[in-house]
PDB file of all heavy atoms in Angstrom:
ATOM      1  N   LEU A  25      -2.495  -3.897  72.200  1.00 93.00           N
ATOM      2  CA  LEU A  25      -1.670  -4.424  73.245  1.00 93.00           C
ATOM      3  C   LEU A  25      -0.511  -3.429  73.426  1.00 93.00           C
ATOM      4  O   LEU A  25       0.309  -3.194  72.549  1.00 93.00           O
ATOM      5  CB  LEU A  25      -1.133  -5.806  72.858  1.00 93.00           C
ATOM      6  CG  LEU A  25      -0.216  -6.457  73.913  1.00 93.00           C
ATOM      7  CD1 LEU A  25      -0.943  -6.637  75.190  1.00 93.00           C
ATOM      8  CD2 LEU A  25       0.300  -7.838  73.369  1.00 93.00           C
ATOM      9  N   HIS A  26      -0.489  -2.745  74.581  1.00 94.00           N
ATOM     10  CA  HIS A  26       0.513  -1.683  74.804  1.00 94.00           C
ATOM     11  C   HIS A  26       1.555  -2.257  75.789  1.00 94.00           C
ATOM     12  O   HIS A  26       1.233  -2.784  76.887  1.00 94.00           O
ATOM     13  CB  HIS A  26      -0.124  -0.453  75.436  1.00 94.00           C
ATOM     14  CG  HIS A  26       0.854   0.645  75.760  1.00 94.00           C
ATOM     15  ND1 HIS A  26       0.864   1.379  76.935  1.00 94.00           N
ATOM     16  CD2 HIS A  26       1.937   1.089  75.037  1.00 94.00           C
ATOM     17  CE1 HIS A  26       1.862   2.223  76.916  1.00 94.00           C
ATOM     18  NE2 HIS A  26       2.528   2.084  75.798  1.00 94.00           N
ATOM     19  N   VAL A  27       2.851  -2.132  75.394  1.00 93.00           N
ATOM     20  CA  VAL A  27       3.947  -2.721  76.189  1.00 93.00           C
ATOM     21  C   VAL A  27       4.897  -1.579  76.645  1.00 93.00           C
ATOM     22  O   VAL A  27       5.454  -0.868  75.803  1.00 93.00           O
ATOM     23  CB  VAL A  27       4.758  -3.739  75.365  1.00 93.00           C
ATOM     24  CG1 VAL A  27       5.733  -4.527  76.243  1.00 93.00           C
ATOM     25  CG2 VAL A  27       3.855  -4.665  74.622  1.00 93.00           C
ATOM     26  N   ASP A  28       5.004  -1.383  78.003  1.00 91.00           N
ATOM     27  CA  ASP A  28       5.905  -0.382  78.522  1.00 91.00           C
ATOM     28  C   ASP A  28       6.222  -0.761  79.935  1.00 91.00           C
ATOM     29  O   ASP A  28       5.341  -1.115  80.750  1.00 91.00           O
ATOM     30  CB  ASP A  28       5.214   1.027  78.519  1.00 91.00           C
ATOM     31  CG  ASP A  28       6.265   2.160  78.663  1.00 91.00           C
ATOM     32  OD1 ASP A  28       6.985   2.132  79.726  1.00 91.00           O
ATOM     33  OD2 ASP A  28       6.353   2.978  77.767  1.00 91.00           O
ATOM     34  N   ASP A  29       7.532  -0.754  80.310  1.00 88.00           N
ATOM     35  CA  ASP A  29       7.931  -1.232  81.636  1.00 88.00           C
ATOM     36  C   ASP A  29       7.568  -0.223  82.712  1.00 88.00           C
ATOM     37  O   ASP A  29       7.614  -0.547  83.895  1.00 88.00           O
ATOM     38  CB  ASP A  29       9.369  -1.547  81.663  1.00 88.00           C
ATOM     39  CG  ASP A  29      10.264  -0.312  81.348  1.00 88.00           C
ATOM     40  OD1 ASP A  29      10.018   0.302  80.277  1.00 88.00           O
ATOM     41  OD2 ASP A  29      11.185  -0.040  82.085  1.00 88.00           O
ATOM     42  N   ASP A  30       7.168   1.023  82.402  1.00 87.00           N
ATOM     43  CA  ASP A  30       6.858   2.014  83.361  1.00 87.00           C
ATOM     44  C   ASP A  30       5.263   1.951  83.479  1.00 87.00           C
ATOM     45  O   ASP A  30       4.519   2.423  82.598  1.00 87.00           O
ATOM     46  CB  ASP A  30       7.245   3.412  82.829  1.00 87.00           C
ATOM     47  CG  ASP A  30       7.018   4.458  83.901  1.00 87.00           C
ATOM     48  OD1 ASP A  30       6.067   4.415  84.658  1.00 87.00           O
ATOM     49  OD2 ASP A  30       7.864   5.408  83.958  1.00 87.00           O
ATOM     50  N   LEU A  31       4.780   1.410  84.611  1.00 88.00           N
ATOM     51  CA  LEU A  31       3.357   1.132  84.717  1.00 88.00           C
ATOM     52  C   LEU A  31       2.577   2.482  84.741  1.00 88.00           C
ATOM     53  O   LEU A  31       1.489   2.562  84.157  1.00 88.00           O
ATOM     54  CB  LEU A  31       3.086   0.377  86.002  1.00 88.00           C
ATOM     55  CG  LEU A  31       1.597   0.043  86.304  1.00 88.00           C
ATOM     56  CD1 LEU A  31       1.026  -0.799  85.121  1.00 88.00           C
ATOM     57  CD2 LEU A  31       1.472  -0.734  87.626  1.00 88.00           C
ATOM     58  N   GLY A  32       3.144   3.501  85.403  1.00 87.00           N
ATOM     59  CA  GLY A  32       2.460   4.790  85.446  1.00 87.00           C
ATOM     60  C   GLY A  32       2.251   5.372  84.092  1.00 87.00           C
ATOM     61  O   GLY A  32       1.145   5.870  83.752  1.00 87.00           O
ATOM     62  N   PHE A  33       3.322   5.368  83.281  1.00 87.00           N
ATOM     63  CA  PHE A  33       3.146   5.886  81.905  1.00 87.00           C
ATOM     64  C   PHE A  33       2.241   5.008  81.082  1.00 87.00           C
ATOM     65  O   PHE A  33       1.470   5.472  80.261  1.00 87.00           O
ATOM     66  CB  PHE A  33       4.534   5.979  81.266  1.00 87.00           C
ATOM     67  CG  PHE A  33       4.516   6.591  79.933  1.00 87.00           C
ATOM     68  CD1 PHE A  33       4.312   7.947  79.714  1.00 87.00           C
ATOM     69  CD2 PHE A  33       4.689   5.818  78.763  1.00 87.00           C
ATOM     70  CE1 PHE A  33       4.228   8.528  78.486  1.00 87.00           C
ATOM     71  CE2 PHE A  33       4.668   6.368  77.481  1.00 87.00           C
ATOM     72  CZ  PHE A  33       4.405   7.734  77.355  1.00 87.00           C
ATOM     73  N   ALA A  34       2.343   3.661  81.265  1.00 88.00           N
ATOM     74  CA  ALA A  34       1.480   2.760  80.492  1.00 88.00           C
ATOM     75  C   ALA A  34       0.034   3.019  80.792  1.00 88.00           C
ATOM     76  O   ALA A  34      -0.853   3.068  79.882  1.00 88.00           O
ATOM     77  CB  ALA A  34       1.855   1.300  80.844  1.00 88.00           C
ATOM     78  N   ASP A  35      -0.376   3.264  82.059  1.00 89.00           N
ATOM     79  CA  ASP A  35      -1.772   3.568  82.381  1.00 89.00           C
ATOM     80  C   ASP A  35      -2.191   4.900  81.769  1.00 89.00           C
ATOM     81  O   ASP A  35      -3.373   5.039  81.311  1.00 89.00           O
ATOM     82  CB  ASP A  35      -1.923   3.655  83.925  1.00 89.00           C
ATOM     83  CG  ASP A  35      -1.801   2.255  84.546  1.00 89.00           C
ATOM     84  OD1 ASP A  35      -1.930   1.275  83.843  1.00 89.00           O
ATOM     85  OD2 ASP A  35      -1.523   2.212  85.838  1.00 89.00           O
ATOM     86  N   LEU A  36      -1.293   5.847  81.703  1.00 89.00           N
ATOM     87  CA  LEU A  36      -1.559   7.111  81.122  1.00 89.00           C
ATOM     88  C   LEU A  36      -1.886   6.967  79.660  1.00 89.00           C
ATOM     89  O   LEU A  36      -2.871   7.562  79.134  1.00 89.00           O
ATOM     90  CB  LEU A  36      -0.451   8.094  81.361  1.00 89.00           C
ATOM     91  CG  LEU A  36      -0.719   9.560  81.147  1.00 89.00           C
ATOM     92  CD1 LEU A  36      -1.704  10.078  82.163  1.00 89.00           C
ATOM     93  CD2 LEU A  36       0.604  10.366  81.225  1.00 89.00           C
ATOM     94  N   VAL A  37      -1.087   6.215  78.958  1.00 90.00           N
ATOM     95  CA  VAL A  37      -1.283   5.968  77.527  1.00 90.00           C
ATOM     96  C   VAL A  37      -2.596   5.312  77.289  1.00 90.00           C
ATOM     97  O   VAL A  37      -3.394   5.718  76.431  1.00 90.00           O
ATOM     98  CB  VAL A  37      -0.150   5.103  76.898  1.00 90.00           C
ATOM     99  CG1 VAL A  37      -0.486   4.666  75.506  1.00 90.00           C
ATOM    100  CG2 VAL A  37       1.168   5.918  76.923  1.00 90.00           C
TER     101      VAL A  37
END
Side-chain angles (χ1 to χ4, degrees):
L25 180 59
H26 179 224
V27 191
D28 198 302
D29 60 308
D30 188 325
L31 182 59
F33 183 73
D35 289 342
L36 195 66
V37 171

